[in-house]
Amino acid sequence: MTGCFSFSEVIERTYKSGFKRSGLRPVTIDLKDGTVVHFWVSKTRPENRPNLLLIHGLGASAIWQWYDVARRLSPHFNLFIPDLVFFGGSYTTRPERSDIFQAQTLMRALEAQSVKRFSLVGLSYGGFVGYRMAAMYGDAVEKVVICCAAVCVEEKDVRDGVFVVSDLDEASKILVPESVKKLRELIGYIFYKPSLARMVPRCLLHDFIEHALTRNNVKEKREMIKDIPKDRIVSEIPKLTQPTLIIWGEDDHVFPLAMGKRLKNHLGDNGKLVVIEKTGHIFNFEKPKTYVKHLKNFLIQTKPQVPIPNGNV
C-alpha cells in the first residue's frame, strides 16, 4: 500500500511548500572535509531582525520538527534551520559522533553564510548541540533556549534507573526505530497521552519509518545517542554566560522534569525554567502556540519605555 501512496511524502511536500511561503529557501553548505550540511534559511536577512538558529532533535529531519514553529517565527527572525549530520540532507564521511562535532559543524556552516551573531533554540538532542555551541562560541551566541534536553545527565544516571529505559542499547533502538513495534513504544514515551500509540494504524507508522525517519544512517544515529552520557559529570559541564531559557514538558517520559530542574540549578540565576502543562517530550507538536509564545517573549528584544516630561509614556 505504501509503495503506491505515501502519506508521509505528501506531508513533507506540504511542509516544504509552507516553508517557502514563510520566506525560507533550502541551501547546501559543503565544508570540503567530507561533511555537507543542508539548511532552510530566510531568503532575505534584514539587519533589524535578529538571527536565530533552530536545532532539531532525534527523529525526522528539521522540516518535520520545526514546521509549526518556523512559520510563526519567520516574521520576527532571520531563520537558520539545519538538518543535523546524519539527518535529512546532511551527512559526513568523518568518524565523529559527538555533540561537540555537531556543534563545530553547525558553527562552520553558519560562518560560511557570514553569520557572526545569533541566538539559538535546541530541541531534545539539539539542546545538547546548542549548549555545546553556546559554551564553545560565547562571543557568537547571544541567547540560548534549551528544550527538554538533559544536558546535566551523568553516566551513572543511566545505571541508576533515572530514565524509563535504563539500558542504553535498548533506548537507542526505541529512539531510532526500525520497526512499527519500536515506533509505537517511542510514541508512548514522547506524547502526553500515550494512548495515541495504539490508535495510529500500522500502515501509517510503517510509512513514517520508510519515508520520514528513513532507514538511512541508523547505526550512526544510535552511536550518537550512546555517546551522550559517556564520561559525563555535572561538575565538568561548563556554565553558560548567556541568558538561558529552559523549557520542559510537565510529563516528559524521555527526559524527566527533574533533569530540567538540575540544569536550572547548574546555571543558577542565569537560567530560567518554564514548564508547559499537559505536554510530554514533544510540546512543539502538542502546544506549538504556547511554545512559540515563550520563545518570542524571551528572544525578541523590546525597547524600554522612556518617560517624557509631561509624565506620559
Side-chain angles (χ1 to χ4, degrees):
M1 180 173 145
T2 55
C4 298
F5 174 80
S6 169
F7 190 61
S8 296
E9 286 186 345
V10 172
I11 292 175
E12 183 156 320
R13 286 197 296 269
T14 302
Y15 285 173
K16 288 180 179 179
S17 296
F19 262 36
K20 291 176 181 178
R21 288 195 302 272
S22 297
L24 300 170
R25 64 182 178 92
V27 299
T28 300
I29 308 297
D30 187 346
L31 297 178
K32 308 299 184 183
D33 65 348
T35 305
V36 170
V37 186
H38 176 269
F39 277 81
W40 284 89
V41 303
S42 297
K43 293 176 184 177
T44 59
R45 287 157 55 178
E47 292 185 3
N48 63 334
R49 289 184 189 171
N51 297 325
L52 182 62
L53 174 68
L54 302 179
I55 313 173
H56 69 83
L58 297 171
S61 63
I63 197 168
W64 283 84
Q65 300 190 39
W66 290 119
Y67 176 71
D68 273 335
V69 174
R71 63 193 183 90
R72 289 180 167 93
L73 294 180
S74 60
H76 309 284
F77 298 93
N78 300 321
L79 293 179
F80 297 85
I81 309 174
D83 288 329
L84 289 171
V85 173
F86 302 124
F87 295 82
S90 300
Y91 62 88
T92 188
T93 57
R94 293 176 56 167
E96 293 94 335
R97 301 292 181 263
S98 68
D99 54 349
I100 294 175
F101 171 68
Q102 295 277 2
Q104 292 169 333
T105 297
L106 289 187
M107 193 65 205
R108 292 173 61 203
L110 289 172
E111 289 172 344
Q113 299 173 78
S114 301
V115 179
K116 295 181 173 61
R117 298 277 291 171
F118 58 94
S119 294
L120 64 83
V121 181
L123 182 66
S124 193
Y125 180 81
F128 289 90
V129 177
Y131 196 97
R132 287 289 189 187
M133 292 186 75
M136 295 166 65
Y137 307 108
D139 292 338
V141 180
E142 297 174 314
K143 289 185 177 182
V144 179
V145 184
I146 302 297
C147 307
C148 56
V151 172
C152 286
V153 65
E154 294 186 308
E155 189 169 16
K156 67 181 183 66
D157 290 325
V158 179
R159 298 192 302 269
D160 293 348
V162 172
F163 305 105
V164 176
V165 180
S166 57
D167 181 271
L168 198 55
D169 186 62
E170 178 64 17
S172 70
K173 292 177 181 177
I174 296 171
L175 292 169
V176 186
E178 288 188 283
S179 68
V180 169
K181 179 182 177 181
K182 290 300 182 186
L183 181 53
R184 283 197 196 277
E185 285 187 62
L186 178 59
I187 293 172
Y189 290 131
I190 62 178
F191 279 95
Y192 174 68
K193 295 182 178 180
S195 58
L196 287 172
R198 297 190 297 270
M199 297 168 59
V200 183
R202 178 183 178 84
C203 61
L204 291 184
L205 295 179
H206 178 76
D207 178 66
F208 188 72
I209 292 171
E210 294 293 332
H211 297 284
L213 297 179
T214 80
R215 298 187 186 277
N216 298 329
N217 305 314
V218 168
K219 176 176 176 288
E220 291 82 358
K221 292 172 184 176
R222 290 176 178 171
E223 289 171 349
M224 288 165 49
I225 294 169
K226 294 174 185 178
D227 185 79
I228 292 172
K230 190 184 300 181
D231 302 323
R232 203 175 184 98
I233 301 173
V234 171
S235 60
E236 297 179 359
I237 297 172
K239 295 185 179 182
L240 300 185
T241 59
Q242 301 93 334
T244 303
L245 177 66
I246 305 160
I247 306 180
W248 227 269
E250 179 185 29
D251 203 23
D252 190 330
H253 294 297
V254 177
F255 293 133
L257 180 55
M259 286 286 118
K261 294 177 179 178
R262 185 188 290 183
L263 178 56
K264 168 66 180 75
N265 291 336
H266 182 68
L267 294 175
D269 294 338
N270 205 42
K272 176 185 177 182
L273 173 63
V274 169
V275 179
I276 301 181
E277 296 180 349
K278 296 183 179 180
T279 62
H281 189 67
I282 55 171
F283 46 75
N284 53 313
F285 285 106
E286 294 175 311
K287 290 193 176 181
K289 291 182 181 179
T290 302
Y291 179 39
V292 169
K293 180 180 177 181
H294 288 304
L295 293 179
K296 290 167 68 174
N297 287 343
F298 177 72
L299 293 168
I300 296 178
Q301 295 283 359
T302 56
K303 294 182 180 179
Q305 295 180 321
V306 180
I308 56 177
N310 65 5
N312 295 323
V313 175

